[in-house]
Amino acid sequence: MQLTRSVKHDPKQRLDEIIVKLRELNFRITPQRVAILRIFLNSQDHPSVEQVYAQVKADFPSTSLATVYKTVNLLKEVGEILEISFAGGGNRYDGIKPYPHPHLICTTCNKIMDSEIGLVDQIANELEQTSGYRIVSHQIEFFGTCPACQKK
Amino acid sequence: MQLTRSVKHDPKQRLDEIIVKLRELNFRITPQRVAILRIFLNSQDHPSVEQVYAQVKADFPSTSLATVYKTVNLLKEVGEILEISFAGGGNRYDGIKPYPHPHLICTTCNKIMDSEIGLVDQIANELEQTSGYRIVSHQIEFFGTCPACQKK
DNA sequence: TCTTTATAGATAATAATTGTCAACAATCGA
DNA sequence: TCGATTGTTGACAATTATTATCTATAAAGA
């Protein structure tokens, strides 16, 4: 099992690639979709649907929240954004590394930080052997306090 | 950081211990709370609030869903049940091993299986060093298909 | 340009959970 | 054991996050 994959992050190139992909899958390229996609490709901070909504509305005031949700689901389904879900509030999304990877989540300010752990694939393989499950994905979140919040 | 702790599982003894603990914390011991606690201490299968509700109602038909939610929150706060939350449906709970530990979740039948990974504490320690976060908890879930569902 | 049909936007509906509050009952002290 | 105190229950309203519905619109291909 190989869960992770490498995606070089060049927002402009990825935007073009994703547009081609969506077109191939017979989805239409609307200005709203492009705007939302751009936001994801340029956000380092794992935005929520509500945050994306606020940003799209800045340039595109008529956009509906429902459209953001639909686009988020679409991008999730084609594998171009990753959903991060945990108790307490809405889901968060990662459009830069859209494959499962561990996160460090600050329970004070809600900041989410990426972290790569090389061992994940090995652990998943071991678990497959011992449990008989066929593992296809994972969700690994560590909760605590970020350096900035520790100082307060 | 030591996230895991060992809790021997003797439902009767734990019931008594938790009751003493709740009393010490000035919470009242009501029949509803005892009934719900018993259910958690005897469920191997990570029940949802709705499932617990159905079970309590069997012996105690007047119980309200709100009471189940309130009791779940209480038990969560005093650290005697673990909340397992992931996208798609309601939270699930573990009253047998109420400390963070990895799970294998079948995306077909929703069965949740426990799994111990010795490496978790080491990984958390490493992440603390490299990130500066102070880690206090984690949530590690692997998703896939359980052996039974693979056969279908 | 015209036609087809997926999509956007508005809003209703749903699901899970939390808040409110009066009646009740667990606990403690006399 | 009884009575007073106050935390808890149960019923239900409210909230939050998300999805479904439906009509007008606009993207894409002929």
Side-chain angles (χ1 to χ4, degrees):
Chain A
M1 193 215 41
Q2 169 70 14
L3 295 174
T4 58
R5 64 191 157 98
S6 214
V7 174
K8 62 182 166 310
H9 188 62
D10 175 348
K12 286 178 190 171
Q13 196 189 334
R14 270 199 68 212
L15 181 65
D16 291 342
E17 288 169 358
I18 295 171
I19 287 174
V20 169
K21 180 176 180 176
L22 288 175
R23 227 188 278 275
E24 279 169 359
L25 293 168
N26 287 314
F27 292 109
R28 290 185 183 172
I29 308 307
T30 65
Q32 293 90 336
R33 284 183 175 167
V34 175
I36 293 167
L37 197 37
R38 265 187 221 284
I39 291 167
F40 279 121
L41 297 182
N42 291 295
S43 298
Q44 308 286 135
D45 60 343
H46 308 83
S48 66
V49 168
E50 213 58 55
Q51 288 171 319
V52 173
Y53 178 52
Q55 280 193 63
V56 205
K57 283 195 95 172
D59 319 309
F60 217 116
S62 72
T63 309
S64 156
L65 182 56
T67 299
V68 180
Y69 271 105
K70 285 174 209 159
T71 304
V72 162
N73 280 327
L74 172 63
L75 295 176
K76 207 170 62 178
E77 262 152 45
V78 299
E80 296 297 340
I81 62 175
L82 176 77
E83 187 173 71
I84 305 167
S85 70
F86 51 94
N91 292 336
R92 305 275 292 269
Y93 297 87
D94 188 335
I96 295 181
K97 303 202 297 180
Y99 47 86
H101 62 281
H103 295 101
L104 286 155
I105 302 176
C106 179
T107 51
T108 302
C109 70
N110 287 312
K111 181 176 156 58
I112 298 181
M113 197 184 169
D114 286 334
S115 82
E116 298 287 357
I117 301 178
L119 295 165
V120 172
D121 282 356
Q122 286 163 244
I123 292 173
N125 275 319
E126 261 185 59
L127 286 180
E128 284 200 323
Q129 303 304 315
T130 56
S131 69
Y133 272 62
R134 182 182 304 131
I135 296 172
V136 298
S137 180
H138 62 72
Q139 178 186 289
I140 301 180
E141 327 292 4
F142 290 89
F143 299 95
T145 318
C146 74
C149 288
Q150 282 174 45
K151 288 179 187 161
K152 294 165 197 166
Chain B
M1 192 217 42
Q2 169 72 13
L3 294 175
T4 58
R5 64 193 156 98
S6 215
V7 174
K8 61 181 168 312
H9 188 62
D10 175 348
K12 287 179 190 171
Q13 195 189 334
R14 270 198 68 214
L15 180 65
D16 292 341
E17 288 169 359
I18 295 170
I19 287 175
V20 169
K21 179 175 181 178
L22 289 175
R23 228 188 277 275
E24 278 169 358
L25 292 167
N26 286 316
F27 292 109
R28 293 187 182 170
I29 308 307
T30 66
Q32 293 89 336
R33 283 182 176 166
V34 175
I36 292 166
L37 197 37
R38 266 187 221 283
I39 291 166
F40 278 122
L41 297 182
N42 291 295
S43 297
Q44 308 286 136
D45 59 341
H46 308 84
S48 66
V49 168
E50 213 57 55
Q51 287 171 319
V52 173
Y53 178 53
Q55 279 193 63
V56 206
K57 284 195 94 172
D59 318 309
F60 217 116
S62 72
T63 309
S64 155
L65 183 56
T67 299
V68 180
Y69 271 105
K70 285 171 205 160
T71 304
V72 163
N73 281 328
L74 173 63
L75 296 176
K76 206 170 63 178
E77 263 152 46
V78 298
E80 295 298 341
I81 62 175
L82 175 77
E83 186 172 72
I84 306 167
S85 70
F86 50 94
N91 292 336
R92 304 275 291 270
Y93 297 88
D94 188 335
I96 296 181
K97 303 203 298 180
Y99 48 86
H101 62 279
H103 296 101
L104 286 155
I105 301 175
C106 179
T107 51
T108 303
C109 70
N110 288 312
K111 182 176 157 57
I112 299 182
M113 199 184 168
D114 287 334
S115 82
E116 297 289 355
I117 302 178
L119 295 165
V120 173
D121 282 358
Q122 285 164 245
I123 292 172
N125 276 319
E126 261 186 59
L127 287 180
E128 283 201 323
Q129 302 305 314
T130 56
S131 70
Y133 271 61
R134 182 182 306 131
I135 296 173
V136 297
S137 179
H138 61 71
Q139 179 186 288
I140 301 180
E141 327 291 4
F142 290 88
F143 298 95
T145 318
C146 73
C149 287
Q150 283 174 44
K151 289 179 187 162
K152 293 163 195 167

